[in-house]
Amino acid sequence: MSGGEVAGILVAVFWAILVSFLAVALVRLAQTLRATTKLVADVTDQAVPLLADASAAVRSAQTQIDRVDSIASDVQEVTSNASALSTTVASTFGGPLVKVAAFGYGVRRAIAGRKDDVPAKEPRRTVIVGRTVPAARRSKRNNRGKRD
C-alpha cells in the first residue's frame, strides 16, 4: 500500500467515526425532545385543572370578602345606633337620676344630723408653724382678715 491509499483509509475511518458520533448525538437529542414534549403535555394536562381550581378559589374568596364587608358595615351601623341610643338615654335619664341621688343624699344627711345619739364632732384644730390654734381663735382670725 502506498502512502496515498493509507491516507485515504485514515480519512474514511475518521469520517465513519465522526458520522457515528453525530448519529448517537442526534438519537439522544431526539429522545430528549420526545421526553420534553411528553413532559410539557403532562404539565399542561395537570395545570389546566389546577388553574380552574385556583380561579374557583379566588371567586369564592371574593364572595366571602363581600360578605365580610357587608357584615362589617352592618356592625358599624349597629354601633352608631347603640352610641346614639346611649347618648339619648344618658341625656334623658342622667339629669333626673343625678337630682334624685342628690336629694336622697341630702335627706340622709338631714336624718343623720337629727339623731341625738350621735356625739357631736370635736372642733377641728389648725396647726400654724408648729402650734395649734383653737377653733374659736381661728374663726376670730378669719373674721378679722375679712374685715380688713
Side-chain angles (χ1 to χ4, degrees):
M1 281 200 194
S2 69
E5 290 177 11
V6 174
I9 292 176
L10 282 175
V11 169
V13 169
F14 173 73
W15 278 108
I17 293 173
L18 183 64
V19 168
S20 299
F21 279 129
L22 287 175
V24 169
L26 286 175
V27 168
R28 294 216 175 166
L29 180 62
Q31 289 174 349
T32 304
L33 286 175
R34 271 189 245 119
T36 304
T37 304
K38 185 177 183 299
L39 179 66
V40 167
D42 290 345
V43 167
T44 302
D45 290 344
Q46 292 176 3
V48 170
L50 286 176
L51 289 174
D53 290 346
S55 177
V58 168
R59 273 190 241 107
S60 174
Q62 183 62 38
T63 302
Q64 295 300 325
I65 288 173
D66 291 342
R67 287 181 184 166
V68 168
D69 187 40
S70 172
I71 290 169
S73 66
D74 291 345
V75 167
Q76 184 179 11
E77 183 179 339
V78 167
T79 302
S80 65
N81 289 343
S83 176
L85 179 64
S86 172
T87 303
T88 303
V89 167
S91 66
T92 303
F93 296 112
L97 284 177
V98 169
K99 291 177 184 177
V100 168
F103 178 74
Y105 178 73
V107 169
R108 281 195 317 262
R109 290 286 302 235
I111 291 173
R114 295 187 150 236
K115 289 185 180 175
D116 294 333
D117 57 352
V118 176
K121 289 185 178 178
E122 207 174 284
R124 291 180 51 188
R125 296 182 175 258
T126 304
V127 177
I128 299 176
V129 191
R131 51 180 209 172
T132 304
V133 178
R137 285 184 57 197
R138 190 177 43 225
S139 64
K140 288 179 187 174
R141 280 189 185 174
N142 290 339
N143 290 337
R144 260 188 286 158
K146 291 180 185 173
R147 282 187 233 149
D148 294 337

